[in-house]
Amino acid sequence: MSQHDAAIAPPPASEGNPTIGILWMVASGLCFVALTATVKVVGDAVPPAESAFLRYALALPILIPMIGPLRRAHLSRRQLGLFGARGLAHTLGVITWFYAMTRIPLAEVTALNYLNPVYVSIGAALFLGETMAWRRMLAIAVALAGALVILRPGARELDPGHFAMLFTAASFAAGYLIAKQLSGEVSATVVVGMLQLTVTIGLLPFALLDWVAPDLATLGLLALAAIFATLGHYAMTYAFAAAPLTVTQPVTFLQLVWAVTLGAVFFAERVDGWVILGGLTIVGAISVLTLREARARRLRSAKGQGARL
């Protein structure tokens, strides 16, 4: 589900391998677009909540090596509450994301998903006390304008899938902000493992509300979706480790190119220039945001080192 499952802020990146980082990010984007396309092929074979549950349930084997770290974490009641809140936010976002993919073109799902970092930036200012400088506000305004270019309210009839994607991006942003609080307290393995566990459990009651017995083809496709998601996250992690976000962030626009291509070739979806323009506008604004954040971190780091000398 693209960057949806990103558990914590990316690890500090090496500055020396930008080409490797870009290649890993390209591979990650291909996996995430393949994931989206696979879920779209499943379509209405099973309800969205059930489809989402099966995708997570079929990925549960990845929890096996995490059992030890999860048991040793000795999570406090507060931490369990935060993990539960994150799991609920992610659960609702996953359901609406799967629903959106049955309603609107691949390109629009992908383009609107780019709003995730924008919501994160707004949420960090509102709830975590981060400074909202005018350049950040301008970048956010440009990104939101890009979303309006994609949606074009008033110029066309909006589908419920569009509103579902707006909710999805906000839900995943809320989960990311909670994870950001937890990432300094527990290991990345625990953060990832708890996400997988809480979302699987959270999706189960929604899936049981309207359960349809899946056939083998549907199960196979959702297992493939789980594989694409896992590979995509591994590739993204390697990309973050190999190169800074300022290098890898612009590469995410390729996801939209591939989504447009897949949608046109395999799903007979019309190539919409407005969606491409809006997606490019959002990615450009996010790239500026990323560059500004990277510079701010370097300045804070330099000041901290200077204070210790």
Side-chain angles (χ1 to χ4, degrees):
M1 64 184 61
S2 77
Q3 294 91 325
H4 289 152
D5 292 336
I8 55 173
S14 165
E15 301 285 341
N17 297 293
T19 302
I20 298 298
I22 288 172
L23 290 175
W24 276 119
M25 204 63 178
V26 169
S28 174
L30 283 169
C31 287
F32 288 135
V33 171
L35 161 64
T36 306
T38 303
V39 173
K40 194 168 186 68
V41 171
V42 173
D44 295 325
V46 292
E50 180 183 345
S51 183
F53 167 73
L54 289 171
R55 170 261 181 267
Y56 271 85
L58 290 168
L60 280 177
I62 69 172
L63 278 178
I64 294 174
M66 300 179 184
I67 293 175
L70 286 171
R71 294 181 62 182
R72 292 191 296 270
H74 301 297
L75 299 174
S76 67
R77 183 174 298 179
R78 170 186 162 277
Q79 289 170 334
L80 287 172
L82 287 173
F83 276 124
R86 184 182 184 224
L88 177 61
H90 212 85
T91 294
L92 297 175
V94 167
I95 292 172
T96 52
W97 181 67
F98 272 65
Y99 171 75
M101 281 187 289
T102 68
R103 302 283 311 189
I104 60 177
L106 275 176
E108 296 191 30
V109 169
T110 303
L112 290 172
N113 186 47
Y114 289 140
L115 287 173
N116 193 333
V118 176
Y119 287 135
V120 169
S121 189
I122 295 172
L126 292 176
F127 303 110
L128 301 183
E130 293 191 7
T131 304
M132 182 71 82
W134 71 268
R135 289 184 180 87
R136 179 190 282 195
M137 289 190 287
L138 180 60
I140 289 172
V142 171
L144 293 176
L148 289 176
V149 170
I150 295 168
L151 295 172
R152 303 190 301 288
R156 65 165 177 168
E157 183 179 356
L158 295 179
D159 188 274
H162 293 116
F163 298 103
M165 273 309 301
L166 292 174
F167 179 83
T168 293
S171 296
F172 288 135
Y176 180 93
L177 290 170
I178 296 172
K180 191 173 182 180
Q181 290 183 286
L182 289 163
S183 62
E185 304 175 15
V186 296
S187 70
T189 299
V190 172
V191 175
V192 173
M194 286 299 292
L195 177 68
Q196 177 70 33
L197 185 61
T198 55
V199 174
T200 304
I201 294 172
L203 286 168
L204 180 58
F206 291 100
L208 292 177
L209 285 174
D210 188 21
W211 185 267
V212 175
D215 56 28
L216 288 178
T218 299
L219 287 174
L221 285 169
L222 290 171
L224 188 62
I227 292 171
F228 281 137
T230 301
L231 293 177
H233 291 302
Y234 273 113
M236 182 185 289
T237 301
Y238 287 131
F240 288 153
L245 270 173
T246 49
V247 172
T248 58
Q249 180 64 56
V251 181
T252 61
F253 179 68
L254 288 175
Q255 290 187 35
L256 184 56
V257 175
W258 296 320
V260 169
T261 304
L262 275 175
V265 174
F266 295 102
F267 300 101
E269 294 175 350
R270 183 175 64 88
V271 177
D272 190 333
W274 290 108
V275 173
I276 297 173
L277 175 61
L280 181 58
T281 302
I282 296 172
V283 172
I286 292 170
S287 297
V288 171
L289 264 178
T290 302
L291 180 61
R292 294 289 306 172
E293 296 299 327
R295 286 177 178 172
R297 282 194 297 270
R298 284 198 296 269
L299 284 174
R300 287 195 296 267
S301 177
K303 287 180 180 178
Q305 290 175 356
R308 289 194 293 270
L309 293 178

